[in-house]
Amino acid sequence: MIASTLPASWYVDPGIAAAERRDVFGREWLCIGRDDALRRPGDYVATDVCGWQVLVVVDGDGRLRGHHNVCRHRAGPLVAAGCGSARSLVCRYHGWAYGLDGALRSARDFGAADGELDLDALSLHPVRVERWRSLLFVNVDLHGDAPPLLDALGTFADACQGFPMESLQTVAELEHPLACNWKTYADNYHEGYHVPLVHPGLNKEIDARRYEVTVDEAHRWVRHDAPARDGAVNEGRWLWRWPNLALNLYPSAMNVERYEPLDPGRCRLRYTYAAAPGIGEDELAAVLRVSGEITAEDVAICEAVQRGLASGAYDVGVLSPRHEGAVAAFHRWVRFAVDPASARL
Ligand code: FES
Ligand SMILES: [Fe+2]
C-alpha cells in the first residue's frame, strides 16, 4: 500500500507545534552538541533547546548537572548562552547565588525576616543530562517517563561503533535559521530521491540510483548509504536518530547536526564539526565549503516546500515505496507521539 504524508496543516498549525514541543521534544533525549568544554568543576554550557533555557555544569565532584537556566526569583538567566567556567551560579538580574548543584545559597539584599524565605524550596529546576561518546544529551522529561539515555539509543549506539568520536576535537559550530517547519527539513533529510535535482554537485559524486535508506523501527533511527560513482569505498556512515539528530561519522572527523523548531514556520539548524587533532586549515575549509553548499541547496528547497505546504493548495501527498520509506516512518513516529489514537488507525 502506498503511504500518505502527514497533512499540510501539521506543518503550519500552532496547536500541532505546541503538542510536538510537549510530546516529542519535551519527552526525548536531545543532543546539544559535544562535551569538549566540560572538563573541570565549574565548566558549563548554556543553550536554548526548543525554547528551554538549559545549563549543563560540572559540579564539585566532577559529575554533570543539568539545570534550567532560569532563576527562581524572577526568571533571570544565571549565565549567558555559550560556554565558560564559574565557581557558583549568580543570577545576572539581581544576584541570587546558587551552588553548582542548583541549591540556592543566598538571595542578595532581599530584605526578608530571618527564616521567612525558604532557600531550600527555591533550587534551580533540574534538567536530566547524560554524556555519551563525547556527545551531550539533555532531557526536560516533561512526562517523567524518559528511560536512561543508553536504553533510549538502543541499537543506534551499536551503529556508531568503530568511529573514534571521543578522540576528535570540536573545530567549528554553525547555525542556520530556516523559514520552514522542522519536519519539512526532516522529511528532506530522510530521502535521497531529491539528490539528482537539488544537489547536482553531490549527484556527480554518488550513484543516486543506488541510494539506500534503512529504517530501524524499534529504536527509531535511520541509516543512509550512497555508493560513490567511481567505486571508491565510502568510509563514512550517515545516521539519523529520532527526533532531530543526524550524525555523519568518518574515520577522522564527524558532523553533529540537529534541527530545532522555533515556531510552526521556522526552525534552526545547528552543526558541530569535530576532527582529529592536527587537521589542516585547507582540509577543514574544504569540508565546510562542501557541507555549506549542500546545506544551502537543502535550505532553499525546504523553504520553497514550506511555502507550498502553507499555500492552501496542498493537503496530503503520497510517498515513494522505493525512496521514501524513512519519510513514512518519520511521519508514523510524529503521529504516534502527537496523536496516538489516530496513529493506530
Ligand atoms: S531574577 Fe534572579 S535574582 Fe532576580
Ligand atoms: Fe538534500
Side-chain angles (χ1 to χ4, degrees):
M1 194 173 83
I2 292 181
S4 299
T5 64
L6 291 172
S9 60
W10 283 46
Y11 293 76
V12 297
D13 180 353
I16 292 288
E20 288 170 346
R21 185 170 188 264
R22 183 184 65 234
D23 296 332
V24 176
F25 294 93
R27 166 169 269 152
E28 300 293 337
W29 285 100
L30 304 175
C31 181
I32 60 166
R34 284 175 48 90
D35 69 352
D36 304 41
L38 300 178
R39 292 285 174 251
R40 282 173 289 277
D43 288 351
Y44 68 79
V45 173
T47 190
D48 176 306
V49 186
C50 307
W52 289 292
Q53 309 304 305
V54 169
L55 165 61
V56 176
V57 62
V58 184
D59 73 10
D61 298 326
R63 285 183 310 162
L64 291 184
R65 298 273 194 160
H67 309 294
H68 285 278
N69 185 18
V70 180
C71 179
R72 295 292 304 276
H73 174 220
R74 280 183 37 228
L78 289 315
V79 296
C83 57
S85 188
R87 292 158 65 113
S88 62
L89 303 170
V90 179
C91 178
R92 295 158 66 87
Y93 200 178
H94 311 96
W96 283 24
Y98 300 81
L100 300 177
D101 61 358
L104 180 59
R105 297 266 173 78
S106 68
R108 181 192 134 265
D109 197 22
F110 191 64
D114 262 4
E116 205 177 8
L117 185 69
D118 182 359
L119 300 195
D120 292 343
L122 292 169
S123 298
L124 296 175
H125 288 305
V127 173
R128 290 177 64 182
V129 57
E130 289 198 43
R131 159 190 344 240
W132 171 77
R133 299 206 55 200
S134 80
L135 299 182
L136 277 180
F137 287 80
V138 296
N139 195 324
V140 296
D141 198 13
L142 294 185
H143 301 270
D145 60 1
L149 174 63
L150 260 189
D151 292 353
L153 293 179
T155 52
F156 178 78
D158 304 334
C160 300
Q161 275 178 8
F163 292 90
M165 297 156 61
E166 299 86 342
S167 63
L168 307 179
Q169 293 172 350
T170 299
V171 289
E173 295 195 279
L174 299 178
E175 247 184 66
H176 302 276
L178 269 67
C180 70
N181 186 275
W182 72 281
K183 300 189 296 299
T184 311
Y185 191 81
D187 292 348
N188 175 71
Y189 187 89
H190 278 312
E191 44 89 357
Y193 196 18
H194 68 272
V195 168
L197 285 94
V198 174
H199 304 300
L202 176 63
N203 194 46
K204 287 197 191 108
E205 306 289 324
I206 64 167
D207 184 352
R209 286 166 312 169
R210 289 163 61 212
Y211 199 113
E212 294 287 344
V213 186
T214 314
V215 175
D216 183 302
E217 189 74 44
H219 291 104
R220 293 177 300 179
W221 60 272
V222 169
R223 173 176 172 158
H224 292 242
D225 288 288
R229 275 189 198 252
D230 63 4
V233 178
N234 185 347
E235 294 179 314
R237 192 164 293 168
W238 303 339
L239 302 166
W240 177 95
R241 187 183 182 276
W242 168 260
N244 69 335
L245 171 66
L247 278 188
N248 296 344
L249 302 175
Y250 302 95
S252 59
M254 69 188 291
N255 181 16
V256 188
E257 172 179 348
R258 21 329 149 202
Y259 31 91
E260 299 160 0
L262 296 173
D263 57 39
R266 289 185 315 135
C267 64
R268 172 171 52 202
L269 183 60
R270 285 171 155 172
Y271 288 127
T272 303
Y273 298 89
I279 184 175
E281 277 186 22
D282 290 352
E283 197 183 340
L284 176 61
V287 169
L288 295 180
R289 184 177 47 74
V290 172
S291 171
E293 280 170 12
I294 293 175
T295 299
E297 290 163 351
D298 282 324
V299 168
I301 195 69
C302 287
E303 291 185 341
V305 167
Q306 184 70 26
R307 291 191 286 275
L309 290 165
S311 70
Y314 176 95
D315 179 15
V316 170
V318 288
L319 294 169
S320 157
R322 163 74 185 90
H323 295 284
E324 293 172 305
V327 183
F330 174 67
H331 288 190
R332 276 198 302 280
W333 301 333
V334 171
R335 202 186 283 275
F336 184 73
V338 169
D339 185 8
S342 85
R344 277 196 291 274
L345 294 178

PDB file of all heavy atoms in Angstrom, residues 1-4 319 321:
ATOM      1  N   MET A   1       0.845  -1.197   0.000  1.00  0.00           N
ATOM      2  CA  MET A   1       0.000   0.000   0.000  1.00  0.00           C
ATOM      3  C   MET A   1       0.887   1.257   0.000  1.00  0.00           C
ATOM      4  O   MET A   1       1.889   1.289   0.711  1.00  0.00           O
ATOM      5  CB  MET A   1      -0.887  -0.005   1.257  1.00  0.00           C
ATOM      6  CG  MET A   1      -1.992   0.987   1.188  1.00  0.00           C
ATOM      7  SD  MET A   1      -3.134   0.820   2.604  1.00  0.00           S
ATOM      8  CE  MET A   1      -2.273   1.752   3.836  1.00  0.00           C
ATOM      9  N   ILE A   2       0.517   2.223  -0.770  1.00  0.00           N
ATOM     10  CA  ILE A   2       1.308   3.457  -0.827  1.00  0.00           C
ATOM     11  C   ILE A   2       0.957   4.328   0.381  1.00  0.00           C
ATOM     12  O   ILE A   2      -0.219   4.588   0.643  1.00  0.00           O
ATOM     13  CB  ILE A   2       1.038   4.199  -2.154  1.00  0.00           C
ATOM     14  CG1 ILE A   2       1.625   3.362  -3.301  1.00  0.00           C
ATOM     15  CG2 ILE A   2       1.625   5.594  -2.121  1.00  0.00           C
ATOM     16  CD1 ILE A   2       1.461   3.966  -4.653  1.00  0.00           C
ATOM     17  N   ALA A   3       1.996   4.741   1.094  1.00  0.00           N
ATOM     18  CA  ALA A   3       1.773   5.541   2.307  1.00  0.00           C
ATOM     19  C   ALA A   3       1.469   6.991   1.947  1.00  0.00           C
ATOM     20  O   ALA A   3       1.930   7.506   0.917  1.00  0.00           O
ATOM     21  CB  ALA A   3       3.018   5.479   3.199  1.00  0.00           C
ATOM     22  N   SER A   4       0.695   7.629   2.819  1.00  0.00           N
ATOM     23  CA  SER A   4       0.392   9.056   2.656  1.00  0.00           C
ATOM     24  C   SER A   4       1.272   9.877   3.586  1.00  0.00           C
ATOM     25  O   SER A   4       1.725   9.397   4.624  1.00  0.00           O
ATOM     26  CB  SER A   4      -1.070   9.336   3.010  1.00  0.00           C
ATOM     27  OG  SER A   4      -1.920   8.608   2.167  1.00  0.00           O
ATOM     28  N   LEU A 319       3.883   8.827  -0.800  1.00  0.00           N
ATOM     29  CA  LEU A 319       5.309   8.585  -0.580  1.00  0.00           C
ATOM     30  C   LEU A 319       5.803   7.410  -1.403  1.00  0.00           C
ATOM     31  O   LEU A 319       5.172   6.346  -1.434  1.00  0.00           O
ATOM     32  CB  LEU A 319       5.552   8.335   0.913  1.00  0.00           C
ATOM     33  CG  LEU A 319       5.286   9.561   1.791  1.00  0.00           C
ATOM     34  CD1 LEU A 319       5.267   9.189   3.273  1.00  0.00           C
ATOM     35  CD2 LEU A 319       6.331  10.644   1.524  1.00  0.00           C
ATOM     36  N   PRO A 321       7.441   4.158  -2.501  1.00  0.00           N
ATOM     37  CA  PRO A 321       7.891   2.939  -1.819  1.00  0.00           C
ATOM     38  C   PRO A 321       9.388   2.700  -2.024  1.00  0.00           C
ATOM     39  O   PRO A 321      10.061   2.155  -1.167  1.00  0.00           O
ATOM     40  CB  PRO A 321       7.075   1.825  -2.493  1.00  0.00           C
ATOM     41  CG  PRO A 321       5.952   2.510  -3.181  1.00  0.00           C
ATOM     42  CD  PRO A 321       6.433   3.892  -3.520  1.00  0.00           C
TER      43      PRO A 321
END
